[in-house]
Amino acid sequence: MAALMPENGRPKAVLLDAGGVLLLPNPWAVAATLRAAGGRPDLRTLHRAHYSGIAAMDRVGQADWRLYFANLAAVADVPPDRRDDAVAGLAALFGAPVYSLWNVVPDGVIENLQHLAATGVAIAVVSNADGLVEETLRRCEVPVEVVIDSTVVGYAKPDPEIFRIALNRLGISADRVVHVGDMALADVDGARAAGIHPLHLDPYGDCPHPPGAHAHIRSLAEVVELVRG
């Protein structure tokens, strides 16, 4: 089984993806779009559907968001002959400015970030976003000071350069850093390419990769315990 801890021991910095880790799509907005296509979305299952949708993209090794949207449509029982309508509606919804949709903070995130900060470990966000993720995190009162947004810096995960920018900002070497993200394709592969230890946030065990291929966690609380040692 892949180790949770970097080879050099307790991490000095934690990098965090934004979408799927600190923020989730607004389930009320997603549900409204699915209903318009004839679906019967259950708000309680849309959180779950986010991670199975991410796994669908990891399964094909491509960030094809139509697969993600199709997964949401299937979970919401959109009639087969309306699935294309649902996918088109969701594509338009997700194409709007990030703060208008990715604005729900999962339970426990704020508390666990506060616990992480109390350990003295450096924290930064590394996100594939549209230039507005830092503003969104402020609006949602997520306590993170260093935010690396792909649109702002010109590099996107899995390109290792976006991680190197974060390392330079923090002044910490890669071998004492972990990165937490919900997509193996972007987060695990990208972190590894930068020499950073990846932790795949996989709350429901959806990852399509073989067991032991990389380290998995179910929540940020596990990262807190890792850093505390």
Side-chain angles (χ1 to χ4, degrees):
M1 181 176 291
L4 291 175
M5 194 91 78
E7 290 185 4
N8 287 349
R10 178 181 177 274
K12 290 186 176 181
V14 175
L15 308 182
L16 301 164
D17 187 16
V21 177
L22 304 178
L23 301 169
L24 286 171
N26 187 299
W28 296 276
V30 172
T33 300
L34 292 167
R35 286 194 196 97
R40 296 176 295 176
D42 180 345
L43 293 178
R44 294 171 299 179
T45 64
L46 289 179
H47 176 277
R48 170 75 179 85
H50 166 80
Y51 296 98
S52 59
I54 293 294
M57 293 192 284
D58 277 334
R59 192 168 291 110
V60 300
Q62 182 179 358
D64 181 355
W65 284 89
R66 291 184 67 84
L67 289 175
Y68 177 92
F69 302 146
N71 178 77
L72 289 176
V75 168
D77 292 326
V78 173
D81 63 345
R82 299 291 305 280
R83 296 279 172 89
D84 287 346
D85 293 339
V87 168
L90 290 169
L93 178 68
F94 278 71
V98 67
Y99 65 80
S100 68
L101 184 66
W102 295 80
N103 58 13
V104 172
V105 181
D107 291 344
V109 163
I110 302 297
E111 179 182 13
N112 283 314
L113 282 176
Q114 291 170 341
H115 292 328
L116 268 179
T119 69
V121 71
I123 303 171
V125 170
V126 179
S127 176
N128 286 356
D130 64 358
L132 298 171
V133 71
E134 185 170 5
E135 177 184 349
T136 304
L137 291 168
R138 286 200 304 268
R139 287 172 181 262
C140 295
E141 299 182 349
V142 177
V144 179
E145 293 185 4
V146 177
V147 178
I148 309 299
D149 183 316
S150 62
T151 294
V152 174
V153 301
Y155 298 94
K157 298 177 294 184
D159 190 326
E161 188 60 29
I162 191 171
F163 293 97
R164 295 186 184 117
I165 291 169
L167 295 175
N168 289 337
R169 183 81 63 86
L170 297 174
I172 297 175
S173 62
D175 60 347
R176 297 300 298 273
V177 177
V178 298
H179 173 68
V180 180
D182 67 336
M183 180 182 286
L185 175 66
D187 296 297
V188 173
D189 294 350
R192 279 179 168 168
I196 293 168
H197 189 72
L199 298 175
H200 186 182
L201 180 64
D202 184 22
Y204 301 98
D206 292 318
C207 180
H209 292 274
H214 52 259
H216 295 81
I217 58 172
R218 295 298 179 101
S219 74
L220 284 181
E222 293 183 47
V223 184
V224 175
E225 293 306 313
L226 173 69
V227 172
R228 284 175 173 168

